[in-house]
Amino acid sequence: MDLRQQHELLYRMDKTDSFMDRLKGSAAYPLRAQSIEILQLNVTRRCNLCCRHCHVEGSPEQTGELSRENMEACLRVAAIPEITTLDITGGAPEMHPRLEWFLKEAAGIGKRLLVRSNGAILLEDPYRRYLDIYAETGVEVVLSLPHPLRERTDRMRGTGIFERIITAMKELNKRGYGNSETGRILNLVHNPVGAFLPGSQQALESEYRSRLRQDYGVEFNSLYCLTNCPVGRYLDFLKRSGNLPDYINLLKQSFNPEAVQNLMCRTTLSVGVDGRLFDCDFNQVLDLSLSDGTPAHIRDFNYEKLSRREIVVRSHCFACTAGSGSSCQGALE
Amino acid sequence: MSQQYYEKDDLQDFPNIAEYASEQGEKFFEYYDRATSAGKLTEREKSLIALTVATVRHCPYCIDAYTNKCLSLGVGHDEMMEAIHVGAAMVAGDTLVHATQMRKIVKKKEM
Ligand code: SF4
Ligand code: SF4
């Protein structure tokens, strides 16, 4: 689905009971950032996989990557005291030709550094070396594993992918990842495989832990549950399967005003592959630029202006406030 | 105007059923929440019980709600189906066990 079609669908959803109306109802409009603690970089949308729920529509055909110059600008920004975390995402970040260099530079800054990987790529040449690079740099690894059952994960990501993720987890476990004593953190991400919300993070984490330990002997630290945002390929799935109106209603009915205060965009700034700045990865995909008067590019970063910016919201934002709330760090409660 | 008694959207009215008798309604919801949330049994186990009861009782609203809840909690299709078979077996069993009533009467009445 192209960008124009996505916007049309979102505008249609905005017509009645929009996210803005709900924020007004909770005296939270306009929504403003309160700080910037996390700098999230989408280094490339290229990916070895082509998952059915992917909001960035990652695939081997995607082109473009964060330039060296923009990466250097990100490193300068990451060094300011307010930023605590550098979060690297994609696509498959490993497909960025300068990821190794970037990780080594970023590790030197001494902030929390995490990379979001699909796991399967860590068994492919020439990306296999990242298993060791991750261990050397001590980067936190966040692996996406939509479901602890093979059949469910493979439906979303492709046949045989579950097995490869498990093998990648074994390799990471061998290098000390997922063991609370080594300090090497391996977290997993759960996304519902279909048009429903994630269950409680605590219940799912124990489900994942017991199944993965019992069936495959693999370990991880924590599970992050993410609600699927009606953007990109997931929006396309909702529309084609006739689930779109029900899913949007479900998100709206599950609106949790308490989640608003903790929305990730209030403490995160997202950098696109061209160095442009966005409120979050979803707004990036929808090409929703930052509000007027705010620096638009990483090279023009200005903490004062950006940390108090007004957030640009549309109806896809209901995915972040449904139930326990959702962010790239999992549930908000 | 729709001609159906059961509408999918009816489920959205469920939270409002306390409207005409608020004290009982509120107490019901408090009880409902307590009974269905994790206790000695996990949320997952309780959701499978709820799905089974909903199916046995033919309640389309609860089947919808608890199928979604089971999916949300990562319950496998095979596990949901197995749970429903427990319900089906119980229904068959409690039908058949009542045959004893018929058998008792037959034995008493016939020469
Ligand atoms: S969800 Fe992740 S792994 Fe799957 S296609 Fe998108 S970027 Fe790639
Ligand atoms: S979609 Fe982005 S902008 Fe909207 S609430 Fe979520 S994080 Fe904030």
Side-chain angles (χ1 to χ4, degrees):
Chain A
M1 191 182 298
D2 65 28
L3 201 55
R4 190 185 51 82
Q5 288 170 309
Q6 293 194 51
H7 277 270
E8 263 171 27
L9 282 174
L10 285 174
Y11 280 119
R12 224 178 287 162
M13 288 177 223
D14 277 342
K15 277 195 182 141
T16 51
D17 187 21
S18 71
F19 192 71
M20 266 182 242
D21 296 334
R22 294 293 186 103
L23 290 182
K24 284 177 189 160
S26 333
Y29 186 80
L31 183 68
R32 287 199 177 276
Q34 59 181 30
S35 62
I36 304 169
E37 291 163 25
I38 302 175
L39 190 67
Q40 188 177 62
L41 278 56
N42 195 321
V43 294
T44 178
R45 291 190 191 172
R46 205 168 335 126
C47 189
N48 56 324
L49 305 183
C50 197
C51 307
R52 291 170 71 188
H53 70 302
C54 184
H55 71 276
V56 302
E57 307 199 36
S59 79
E61 282 77 46
Q62 286 274 15
T63 53
E65 63 215 15
L66 198 62
S67 69
R68 169 136 187 164
E69 202 187 355
N70 287 330
M71 282 180 141
E72 282 168 349
C74 290
L75 289 169
R76 284 195 295 277
V77 171
I80 70 165
E82 289 83 356
I83 307 272
T84 60
T85 306
L86 202 53
D87 180 341
I88 303 165
T89 187
E94 295 87 348
M95 294 181 95
H96 190 293
R98 280 176 296 277
L99 182 70
E100 179 178 356
W101 162 80
F102 185 76
L103 284 177
K104 288 181 177 162
E105 294 292 315
I109 301 176
K111 304 288 177 81
R112 180 178 173 216
L113 177 63
L114 56 96
V115 65
R116 296 177 189 270
S117 174
N118 64 45
I121 198 166
L122 297 173
L123 304 179
E124 285 179 18
D125 284 327
Y127 310 109
R128 197 183 291 270
R129 66 200 169 95
Y130 276 102
L131 287 165
D132 291 323
I133 295 168
Y134 289 162
E136 278 160 30
T137 48
V139 57
E140 231 174 278
V141 178
V142 183
L143 280 196
S144 165
L145 181 64
H147 204 287
L149 292 175
R150 178 197 318 264
E151 185 263 330
R152 304 269 75 213
T153 286
D154 281 358
R155 272 192 82 78
M156 203 163 194
R157 319 201 81 172
T159 309
I161 302 300
F162 177 84
E163 207 58 51
R164 286 163 63 190
I165 299 172
I166 297 294
T167 309
M169 284 182 75
K170 285 184 181 159
E171 290 297 327
L172 288 164
N173 283 170
K174 270 192 225 158
R175 289 161 175 82
Y177 274 98
N179 176 339
S180 56
E181 277 154 33
T182 61
R184 292 208 174 120
I185 297 174
L186 170 60
N187 292 330
L188 299 181
V189 170
H190 161 81
N191 288 91
V193 186
F196 48 90
L197 299 181
S200 96
Q201 189 161 277
Q202 208 187 358
L204 278 162
E205 185 177 289
S206 80
E207 175 76 8
Y208 267 65
R209 203 177 300 287
S210 65
R211 280 195 191 267
L212 295 179
R213 189 175 281 167
Q214 221 170 292
D215 299 347
Y216 307 100
V218 290
E219 299 289 338
F220 64 96
N221 296 88
S222 304
L223 179 77
Y224 298 153
C225 290
L226 267 63
T227 300
N228 287 316
C229 190
V231 167
R233 250 178 234 143
Y234 187 68
L235 180 60
D236 198 36
F237 153 74
L238 290 173
K239 182 146 192 306
R240 276 186 296 103
S241 61
N243 279 300
L244 184 60
D246 279 355
Y247 190 72
I248 300 300
N249 277 340
L250 178 65
L251 294 180
K252 289 184 174 181
Q253 279 160 26
S254 315
F255 178 76
N256 172 4
E258 282 169 28
V260 173
Q261 293 313 313
N262 300 325
L263 285 170
M264 67 171 169
C265 46
R266 303 198 65 215
T267 53
T268 302
L269 186 67
S270 156
V271 185
V273 283
D274 51 3
R276 282 171 66 208
L277 300 176
F278 297 89
D279 291 311
C280 69
D281 209 43
F282 304 119
N283 284 13
Q284 187 183 133
V285 168
L286 291 167
D287 201 31
L288 294 172
S289 308
L290 291 186
S291 49
D292 291 344
T294 334
H297 197 278
I298 190 68
R299 66 174 168 257
D300 304 319
F301 183 88
N302 175 316
Y303 187 82
E304 284 310 306
K305 286 187 181 158
L306 286 162
S307 61
R308 291 195 308 252
R309 72 190 188 277
E310 183 180 335
I311 313 271
V312 178
V313 293
R314 291 280 183 281
S315 280
H316 65 294
C317 296
F318 276 113
C320 298
T321 51
S324 310
S326 174
S327 76
C328 291
Q329 312 286 322
L332 297 175
E333 287 176 354
Chain B
M1 178 115 169
S2 164
Q3 298 298 307
Q4 306 291 325
Y5 280 108
Y6 282 118
E7 288 289 337
K8 192 172 166 49
D9 290 349
D10 292 346
L11 185 54
Q12 289 169 32
D13 188 46
F14 184 46
N16 305 325
I17 54 125
E19 192 179 5
Y20 302 137
S22 59
E23 198 191 332
Q24 296 92 320
E26 278 154 23
K27 286 214 155 51
F28 161 75
F29 279 120
E30 203 185 306
Y31 168 70
Y32 186 91
D33 284 346
R34 179 68 66 87
T36 56
S37 53
K40 296 259 194 263
L41 297 182
T42 62
E43 207 180 340
R44 191 179 196 281
E45 289 162 339
K46 289 191 176 185
S47 297
L48 278 166
I49 294 171
L51 174 65
T52 306
V53 174
T55 312
V56 167
R57 303 276 303 157
H58 299 179
C59 174
Y61 307 125
C62 294
I63 294 172
D64 185 350
Y66 283 97
T67 303
N68 274 285
K69 181 125 189 232
C70 285
L71 286 170
S72 291
L73 288 167
V75 178
H77 309 158
D78 48 354
E79 294 171 300
M80 286 188 243
M81 203 59 214
E82 247 185 55
I84 290 174
H85 274 295
V86 175
M90 291 300 293
V91 171
D94 83 21
T95 305
L96 290 174
V97 79
H98 280 83
T100 57
Q101 302 297 328
M102 171 273 284
R103 287 161 53 80
K104 244 187 344 194
I105 296 163
V106 166
K107 283 178 183 162
K108 187 174 175 201
K109 293 278 163 115
E110 277 186 342
M111 276 193 262

